Amino acid sequence: MYLMEKIIDRKYVIELFNTYQEYGGRTILNDISLRIRKGEFVAIVGPTGCGKSTMLRMVLGSEMPSRGIAAMEENLIKRPDRRRGIVFQKYSLFDFMNVRDNVMFGLELEQFNLAEHFLRKIFPFFYRKKVKKFREEADLFLEKVGLLEHAEKYPHQLSGGQRQRVAIAQAMIMKPQILLMDEPLGALDVGTREAMQIFIQELWGQTAQTILFITHDLEEAIFMGTRLIVLSQYYKDGGNNGSKIVQDIKIPWPQPRPTTIKHTKQFNDIMEGIRHAGLDPSHLHDIKEFNIQHEDALCSVRKFGE
Ligand SMILES: Nc1ncnc2c1ncn2[C@@H]1O[C@H](COP(=O)(O)OP(=O)(O)O)[C@@H](O)[C@H]1O
Ligand SMILES: [Mg+2]
């Protein structure tokens, strides 16, 4: 408790301190510390299998770290709750519900207990007012993601990009304080993907929603966030010791960004720098110091304990 009081800071929405995740004796995440401020747009990039989804699950609360602290607003994260919304690469939507029902599903789930769900089917009249309110709310969010005219359609009638926009509306209707996105654009074709990158940036600009955006695509990660974190397997004494945050940097361009910046020299220099220092195993073998430039970055909680 002493430690908690000392390190937990009101300025931050999410805090990880010295977290490890181990599965069957294998270390996946090795001493991850991270603090996220309200309104930040944090992109996390790393190779497939390095533990990005594992890290997100700790933030979501669907699993707890084997060691260390994962906290939101000064409290340990123990289970998922509505303060953290999530969008996955796919499977966020129910195929048997239309778009509007998918978006309002979270509100209904929260509002009605099991008996009420049942009673609502038999006596829809009594619940009409409430359901009408949910519908209006859903339509508000569908309008935000530009899909109001598709409200009555079913997910299979939409394109991949549209489905992901429904998934975003579905998460945002719960008014989460942080939106977690796990490779949300990973299943989309290149053109749609780029359009969605811009769309998410615009949404962030309008809502000031705190976002934690995960991708394995370096170009996408640099393009999207105001801050970029590189998670990479860290090799020491010849073995894979699990992943660490090896880079934590500010991304200089204001949002939303034109896609043309992807072709500038500055963008390419950042990309090449990260490819070498953040992702190249031969470099990570004998790394002395991580590239942790961000003011909110933490190399080790030892600084706090001192
Ligand atoms: N519940 C689990 N039990 C055992 N191993 C797991 C579990 N979840 C993930 N892993 C392993 O942890 C590693 C990281 O997985 P993951 O977080 O999904 O990586 P990423 O999202 O970066 O691709 C992988 O090697 C994966 O096989
Ligand atoms: Mg993953």
Side-chain angles (χ1 to χ4, degrees):
M1 205 54 224
Y2 169 74
L3 187 66
M4 285 285 285
E5 277 164 21
K6 195 153 181 168
I7 61 180
I8 299 286
D9 190 326
R10 256 170 234 280
K11 279 205 301 265
Y12 303 101
V13 187
I14 297 291
E15 293 162 292
L16 302 182
F17 291 113
N18 298 117
T19 56
Y20 289 74
Q21 194 58 286
E22 287 148 8
Y23 297 124
R26 196 172 139 227
T27 306
I28 304 297
L29 296 175
N30 184 334
D31 198 6
I32 302 289
S33 294
L34 173 66
R35 307 183 288 191
I36 297 174
R37 275 176 206 256
K38 193 168 178 292
E40 245 188 312
F41 189 160
V42 182
I44 297 189
V45 70
T48 302
C50 76
K52 301 181 294 299
S53 297
T54 302
M55 184 168 152
L56 206 72
R57 285 197 300 271
M58 296 191 318
V59 175
L60 181 67
S62 59
E63 63 186 60
M64 286 181 77
S66 9
R67 272 189 277 163
I69 289 170
M72 174 164 189
E73 298 178 312
E74 306 168 71
N75 291 303
L76 284 184
I77 297 168
K78 291 181 176 156
R79 61 188 73 82
D81 66 55
R82 70 176 291 172
R83 293 175 305 160
R84 296 175 301 284
I86 186 149
V87 177
F88 296 105
Q89 185 169 336
K90 39 189 171 177
Y91 310 122
S92 296
L93 306 181
F94 295 104
D95 292 328
F96 58 88
M97 286 184 190
N98 74 24
V99 165
R100 179 184 290 121
D101 288 342
N102 261 293
V103 173
M104 59 194 260
F105 180 69
L107 292 178
E108 291 188 280
L109 200 66
E110 186 182 68
Q111 194 69 38
F112 299 124
N113 62 35
L114 195 62
E116 282 179 318
H117 274 288
F118 188 64
L119 285 170
R120 191 157 58 94
K121 298 278 181 244
I122 311 173
F123 307 111
F125 178 81
F126 291 110
Y127 294 94
R128 219 168 54 186
K129 251 194 177 153
K130 220 170 220 174
V131 172
K132 184 165 172 275
K133 234 183 81 207
F134 293 162
R135 287 215 176 100
E136 285 167 3
E137 185 83 357
D139 285 356
L140 208 72
F141 279 86
L142 281 172
E143 198 171 7
K144 267 194 192 134
V145 299
L147 289 176
L148 189 53
E149 75 265 37
H150 299 291
E152 316 270 321
K153 287 191 180 161
Y154 285 80
H156 74 268
Q157 296 172 291
L158 303 181
S159 70
Q162 289 172 329
R163 277 203 293 270
Q164 284 310 73
R165 280 192 276 157
V166 177
I168 291 170
Q170 189 186 52
M172 285 188 61
I173 199 170
M174 304 309 287
K175 308 208 169 67
Q177 288 173 40
I178 181 164
L179 192 56
L180 311 174
M181 306 181 107
D182 194 353
E183 313 234 10
L185 312 182
L188 306 178
D189 61 79
V190 180
T192 311
R193 188 170 182 150
E194 205 149 66
M196 284 296 288
Q197 289 173 349
I198 306 264
F199 169 76
I200 293 172
Q201 286 189 30
E202 284 170 351
L203 199 68
W204 179 75
Q206 289 156 14
T207 57
Q209 173 79 59
T210 313
I211 296 180
L212 185 53
F213 181 97
I214 282 185
T215 176
H216 68 265
D217 184 308
L218 182 55
E219 185 188 85
E220 179 167 276
I222 299 171
F223 184 62
M224 292 302 279
T226 52
R227 175 179 179 183
L228 175 65
I229 287 174
V230 181
L231 195 66
S232 228
Q233 268 129 18
Y234 163 66
Y235 301 85
K236 202 178 163 202
D237 308 325
N240 177 355
N241 294 306
S243 292
K244 283 184 178 288
I245 291 175
V246 297
Q247 306 229 340
D248 189 343
I249 58 177
K250 262 188 183 162
I251 297 295
W253 304 284
Q255 302 232 25
R257 297 160 184 167
T259 49
T260 46
I261 64 157
K262 292 181 183 177
H263 311 295
T264 61
K265 182 172 182 311
Q266 197 187 4
F267 192 96
N268 265 291
D269 287 349
I270 295 180
M271 197 142 118
E272 283 315 310
I274 294 171
R275 267 213 189 103
H276 168 69
L279 299 170
D280 178 1
S282 64
H283 176 79
L284 292 167
H285 260 294
D286 53 9
I287 196 162
K288 298 277 184 311
E289 250 180 66
F290 300 134
N291 179 15
I292 309 289
Q293 298 170 2
H294 201 281
E295 64 208 22
D296 289 330
L298 291 163
C299 295
S300 165
V301 83
R302 247 165 264 129
K303 282 184 191 157
F304 289 79
E306 272 161 21

